[in-house]
Amino acid sequence: MSMTQRILRIVEPVIFGARWITLAVLIAITAFLGWQASQLQPNAGWLKMVPQEHPYMETFLEYYDEFGGANTVLVALKNKDGDIYQPEFMEDLRKLTDEVFFIPGVQRERVTSIFTPNILYVEVQPTGLSGSTVVPADYAPTPEMMDKLRSNVSKANVIGRLVSNDQSAAMVVAELLERDPVTNEKIDYNEVGDKLEAIRTKFEDENTTVHIIGFAKVVDDMTDAATEVVGFFALTLILTGILLWLYTGSFMLGMLPLVCSIAAVIWEMGLLNLAGFGLDPFAILVPFLVLAVSVSHGVQYVNAWASEIADAGHTAYRASLNTFRRLAIPGTIALITDVAGFLTIYLIDIDVIREMSLNAAFGIAAIIITNKALMPVLLTVANVRDREAFQRKHARREALGDRLWRFIAATFTKRPAAVVTLLVCALILGWSVWKYDDLTVGSAQEGVPELRPDSRFNQDARLIAENFSLGVDQFNVIAETVPDACIKYDLMAELDRFAWHMKNETGVRETMTLLDLSKLAYAGLSEGRLNAQVVPRNRYALAQATALVPTTSGMLNDDCSALNVFLFTTDHKAATIKEIVAAVKAYKAEENSTPDIEFKLASGNVGVMAATNEVVEAKEVEIVLWVYAVVLTFLWLSFRTFSGVICVALPLSLVSISAYGVMATLGIGMKVATLPVIALAVGIGVDYGIYIYATLAEGLRRGMSLEEAYYRTLQKTGKAVVFTGVALGLGVATWLFSKLQFQADMGLMLVYMFTANMFGAILVLPALAHFFAGEETRHQGQDITSGASDEPDERKPS
């Protein structure tokens, strides 16, 4: 007895012999997991998006309390007519600062605007230096005060940072904590986003505009688009249901794969909640991928069942049993391969990707139950009222594609077409490898790539970048040194040289350290001479100048053993980040660097992006290799022939490699939101290949010629593969109209991968089989899909 027969001997009695009990149990579990799924909450988190074990992030977290993080919110208030020095505008800016200060989760001591007490100016008086807050304690919105504020702003070195270059806008900057400092509960990004939108509504009018950027706003905008995502999901379901109805010729049969697929998604969501996870906005596409894989398997099952009814004249019970015996093992192996492949994504040390990995694995594991147990039971009681009419419809549908199937089988199993097909594949492979060098790891565009370029967020980001020199994209380098370094000339001179060196690097717009302010102070102490804007060599003069910079500025810690170097970048494109990182590393490698000071990467929002990009770049090839290692292992366990592994794996790998070329051509970067897609979409290709090759191998082992075996394969499973590829491609094509850019990008990529995998399985697989058909023929008589010898009695009470 073969392994297949032993497995079926155990499973068949549970599914078919006790089918009513099995059905009741599955319905009860679905209801329970449906209730669990209803409890699922959005679970966005800034730290989930970063690789916390990366050396850059270790530096970032080490100095998080002293220098703050990169989870910032920037709110800019812009005067449409005139400058900011208007009583009404200043009063709005004061109130805006207070509103931002009290947003839940804000680290209040780090809120900065010209109205906060941590923004100071220094000036030279006949009696020495004097300084105060930019907005004095006796502030009142009067014309005289406006003149004073204009003078104070010019002295405070905040133009380009908190005040726009043309002084028509002012900014409030805040940092968010992962947990609310008052309640200690995890920050609710949707609540923060709602507060920010309320601020926009409150202060924006015909004279003033409000512009808001930050991670919290990105999450809020993506969550607000969730209704649209659900709409696209529903549209995909409706479209798939209509196509299934037309394909099967029966509303009941058309809805059955859809019902089982929805059940699989319910199981996925319920299991996710049971495991203690929420649904991250960046993982909103996973349920559709689960639905797509489930539909793919469901169509195969319904198609085979309909053939058993129409061609062989079996009862619904017998047709379901025969279909189960033929498809259960290949289908389950394909799904187990998918689960193992998705779990390999867990190797990436980024929490949101790990959650996505488990999410997908839960969904695919659920399909094994809903497709291989629930659907067979439901089909045992499916009622075909007019069998003759059903057979006539089935025969007409079969005849529609028969000529095409015969043409494909007669053409692509012959040497000339097989050679041409493989040559075309080689050309596609060569093009893909050539384009791979153009693939961007990280963001390939300005603004936030998850949202459309014309979205309100990206419009705000562009306006802030155009009007402010500092504060939009910043890459921070931590200078670690000895205590009291602020009074040691050689260390401060090295810090100054580093900042000057980086300021002249491509991609760096401006730099800022405590020396920028202390030089102004030293010049003031030297009667305002311009040539005195230097780092003083005298330790007492240096101490006097640097003491004027408070630790609340985020530029130094309490004992001056760590100093923050701000590099304000022109953008956060991957190429820009890579150049800046390379420049810092090159400077560190120079022999003339002072040994008592070390420049450590990295902090700031661009520093976080640098760490993420490096992890993605390092793991991207490794993850794909692991996925294929798992796929090849299960293919070998499934077929035990070299031909089976080659014929399924080569078309699949060609599609995956060519997907990189497509991404490079379309300008889609490889980042956290896109990295899992290629690995996840491999699941669809595995399903196509395993179903087709299992049926083809069965025909060859029964003594058919390759052409005849492949013709029968196309009749049985090939047409279901074609339907699935077309239906799923049309379904995700609706995503191209989404407001979310990353959903549109993923829709485009999935359309390509669904259809390309379909063509690979239908056209490339038989061309490969032409060169390996002899190996399967040698296994004649070993039917991998033969069922158990003992048939459960459909009349026996459960």
Side-chain angles (χ1 to χ4, degrees):
M1 183 183 295
S2 69
M3 178 65 72
T4 298
Q5 290 174 324
R6 287 196 292 270
I7 293 173
L8 292 178
R9 181 180 288 275
I10 297 171
V11 175
E12 279 183 9
V14 176
I15 296 177
F16 292 94
R19 63 186 186 277
W20 298 114
I21 295 175
T22 301
L23 181 61
V25 170
L26 291 176
I27 290 175
I29 294 174
T30 303
F32 170 72
L33 291 177
W35 175 75
Q36 286 289 328
S38 68
Q39 311 299 312
L40 197 65
Q41 297 292 325
N43 184 27
W46 184 81
L47 284 177
K48 288 168 55 179
M49 303 293 295
V50 304
Q52 298 183 38
E53 301 299 321
H54 191 280
Y56 299 175
M57 293 301 94
E58 291 177 356
T59 300
F60 168 83
L61 294 172
E62 181 181 353
Y63 293 100
Y64 184 88
D65 293 335
E66 294 171 308
F67 295 143
N71 190 6
T72 56
V73 173
L74 282 66
V75 184
L77 195 67
K78 182 172 174 59
N79 193 350
K80 290 182 180 179
D81 300 310
D83 57 29
I84 65 173
Y85 306 108
Q86 312 293 330
E88 297 82 4
F89 183 93
M90 278 295 175
E91 190 63 14
D92 282 346
L93 181 62
R94 182 185 67 79
K95 293 177 181 177
L96 174 64
T97 303
D98 291 341
E99 293 276 356
V100 172
F101 185 85
F102 289 105
I103 290 177
V106 163
Q107 192 173 7
R108 291 173 181 168
E109 65 271 21
R110 295 196 183 279
V111 174
T112 56
S113 83
I114 60 173
F115 273 91
T116 55
N118 54 359
I119 302 301
L120 309 171
Y121 73 91
V122 178
E123 65 179 342
V124 182
Q125 297 287 352
T127 56
L129 289 178
S130 69
S132 181
T133 57
V134 171
V135 179
D138 60 346
Y139 166 79
T142 62
E144 294 77 18
M145 181 61 71
M146 295 304 107
D147 292 335
K148 187 172 184 178
L149 289 180
R150 187 191 301 272
S151 174
N152 290 352
V153 165
S154 66
K155 302 169 188 173
N157 197 29
V158 294
I159 295 177
R161 184 160 59 100
L162 296 176
V163 176
S164 65
N165 295 317
D166 64 357
Q167 302 190 58
S168 67
M171 187 186 296
V172 181
V173 180
E175 290 186 12
L176 295 177
L177 300 168
E178 280 296 295
R179 293 189 174 274
D180 191 304
V182 177
T183 65
N184 200 36
E185 294 181 358
K186 193 172 182 179
I187 186 172
D188 185 342
Y189 283 96
N190 293 331
E191 182 183 358
V192 174
D194 291 341
K195 293 284 187 183
L196 291 171
E197 278 303 318
I199 288 173
R200 190 198 302 274
T201 302
K202 182 175 181 178
F203 290 98
E204 198 165 57
D205 55 33
E206 65 275 6
N207 299 318
T208 309
T209 57
V210 179
H211 308 275
I212 307 171
I213 61 174
F215 176 77
K217 196 69 186 72
V218 173
V219 171
D220 184 57
D221 287 353
M222 290 177 63
T223 305
D224 287 345
T227 304
E228 182 191 61
V229 172
V230 172
F232 279 116
F233 192 85
L235 180 62
T236 301
L237 285 177
I238 293 170
L239 182 60
T240 305
I242 292 172
L243 291 173
L244 283 167
W245 185 4
L246 294 174
Y247 175 73
T248 61
S250 165
F251 179 78
M252 181 269 296
L253 289 180
M255 292 303 102
L256 201 56
L258 212 55
V259 169
C260 292
S261 299
I262 293 172
V265 173
I266 291 172
W267 280 46
E268 172 209 353
M269 298 293 195
L271 290 170
L272 197 64
N273 189 62
L274 277 176
F277 295 105
L279 186 61
D280 193 278
F282 288 90
I284 58 177
L285 306 185
V286 175
F288 177 80
L289 291 173
V290 171
L291 182 82
V293 173
S294 183
V295 167
S296 174
H297 286 264
V299 170
Q300 289 287 350
Y301 205 96
V302 167
N303 180 68
W305 182 89
S307 295
E308 292 284 339
I309 294 287
D311 298 339
H314 290 307
T315 63
Y317 179 92
R318 181 68 193 189
S320 184
L321 178 61
N322 288 352
T323 301
F324 180 83
R325 287 176 171 177
R326 186 162 68 85
L327 297 182
I329 298 302
T332 302
I333 289 174
L335 290 168
I336 292 173
T337 304
D338 295 344
V339 172
F342 296 158
L343 287 176
T344 59
I345 306 172
Y346 196 86
L347 294 172
I348 301 174
D349 182 28
I350 297 177
D351 287 348
V352 69
I353 292 181
R354 289 183 165 179
E355 286 186 21
M356 213 178 298
S357 168
L358 293 175
N359 190 354
F362 287 151
I364 303 302
I367 296 173
I368 296 176
I369 306 299
T370 59
N371 189 267
K372 307 307 175 191
L374 179 61
M375 182 174 287
V377 171
L378 293 175
L379 281 173
T380 62
V381 295
N383 184 21
V384 179
R385 295 179 181 177
D386 190 342
R387 185 177 291 269
E388 291 184 0
F390 183 82
Q391 289 173 332
R392 287 195 299 271
K393 287 181 181 179
H394 183 77
R396 285 198 298 270
R397 288 195 305 275
E398 292 291 304
L400 285 176
D402 190 68
R403 187 173 299 177
L404 176 61
W405 308 142
R406 283 203 175 276
F407 170 77
I408 292 175
T411 303
F412 288 90
T413 57
K414 298 296 191 298
R415 183 172 295 271
V419 171
V420 171
T421 300
L422 296 183
L423 285 175
V424 171
C425 290
L427 290 174
I428 294 173
L429 177 62
W431 173 81
S432 304
V433 172
W434 172 64
K435 289 297 291 183
Y436 182 80
D437 289 339
D438 296 334
L439 181 65
T440 300
V441 178
S443 179
Q445 64 186 54
E446 295 180 357
V448 175
E450 286 74 27
L451 303 174
R452 293 280 191 178
D454 59 349
S455 65
R456 179 63 191 267
F457 183 97
N458 282 332
Q459 290 182 27
D460 287 350
R462 281 193 294 272
L463 183 138
I464 291 174
E466 291 168 358
N467 287 272
F468 294 83
S469 300
L470 313 179
V472 181
D473 287 321
Q474 64 184 52
F475 183 99
N476 293 7
V477 179
I478 308 300
E480 286 188 344
T481 183
V482 296
D484 297 323
C486 292
I487 62 173
K488 297 181 179 180
Y489 171 77
D490 59 331
L491 299 178
M492 291 299 96
E494 178 63 18
L495 180 72
D496 195 38
R497 277 194 299 272
F498 174 74
W500 179 87
H501 179 85
M502 294 306 302
K503 185 175 182 178
N504 289 279
E505 288 292 333
T506 304
V508 177
R509 184 194 305 234
E510 187 59 82
T511 63
M512 185 172 67
T513 69
L514 87 160
L515 295 176
D516 291 292
L517 299 179
S518 61
K519 285 179 185 179
L520 293 175
Y522 183 64
L525 291 168
S526 304
E527 300 178 347
R529 291 184 290 108
L530 293 178
N531 62 355
Q533 289 190 18
V534 295
V535 179
R537 291 179 176 271
N538 183 281
R539 64 181 302 171
Y540 299 106
L542 185 56
Q544 189 176 27
T546 56
L548 294 171
V549 183
T551 55
T552 55
S553 65
M555 295 182 185
L556 71 163
N557 63 354
D558 290 337
D559 65 352
C560 200
S561 62
L563 303 115
N564 201 357
V565 182
F566 293 83
L567 311 179
F568 297 94
T569 64
T570 54
D571 54 59
H572 55 250
K573 291 181 180 179
T576 303
I577 296 174
K578 186 172 284 190
E579 288 181 3
I580 293 173
V581 169
V584 173
K585 290 181 177 179
Y587 186 90
K588 289 174 62 176
E590 291 180 2
E591 295 181 0
N592 60 349
S593 296
T594 304
D596 287 337
I597 187 168
E598 181 183 0
F599 297 101
K600 295 189 67 173
L601 298 165
S603 182
N605 65 317
V606 177
V608 171
M609 292 179 192
T612 305
N613 290 354
E614 288 188 8
V615 168
V616 170
E617 187 170 15
K619 290 290 186 180
E620 171 247 325
V621 173
E622 179 185 342
I623 291 302
V624 173
L625 290 177
W626 273 110
V627 169
Y628 275 96
V630 171
V631 168
L632 292 174
T633 300
F634 278 94
L635 287 177
W636 176 256
L637 293 175
S638 177
F639 299 117
R640 296 299 179 92
T641 61
F642 180 70
S643 60
V645 175
I646 290 295
C647 291
V648 176
L650 284 186
L652 188 65
S653 59
L654 177 63
V655 173
S656 296
I657 295 171
S658 64
Y660 292 123
V662 172
M663 290 179 68
T665 302
L666 297 176
I668 299 174
M670 182 67 72
K671 47 190 180 295
V672 169
T674 58
L675 176 62
V677 171
I678 290 178
L680 295 176
V682 166
I684 292 289
V686 168
D687 298 342
Y688 291 167
I690 287 180
Y691 275 121
I692 284 186
Y693 192 82
T695 309
L696 175 64
E698 177 187 354
L700 291 174
R701 293 174 184 181
R702 288 178 176 175
M704 296 181 187
S705 67
L706 178 60
E707 179 181 340
E708 184 64 20
Y710 195 60
Y711 168 66
R712 298 296 179 189
T713 298
L714 291 175
Q715 280 189 316
K716 289 181 179 180
T717 59
K719 62 183 181 182
V721 167
V722 172
F723 167 79
T724 304
V726 172
L728 296 180
L730 288 174
V732 296
T734 60
W735 294 7
L736 301 178
F737 304 100
S738 172
K739 293 179 182 177
L740 295 177
Q741 183 65 49
F742 90 104
Q743 185 181 13
D745 290 343
M746 291 307 96
L748 198 58
M749 289 304 301
L750 288 174
V751 167
Y752 170 75
M753 297 198 76
F754 287 157
T755 54
N757 275 317
M758 176 193 72
F759 282 115
I762 296 295
L763 302 180
V764 181
L765 190 151
L768 289 166
H770 169 81
F771 297 98
F772 298 101
E775 184 179 4
E776 292 297 347
T777 306
R778 289 193 297 272
H779 290 78
Q780 198 167 348
Q782 301 176 19
D783 183 4
I784 64 171
T785 59
S786 60
S789 58
D790 296 332
E791 176 184 339
D793 187 355
E794 64 177 305
R795 295 166 296 181
K796 184 179 179 180
S798 307

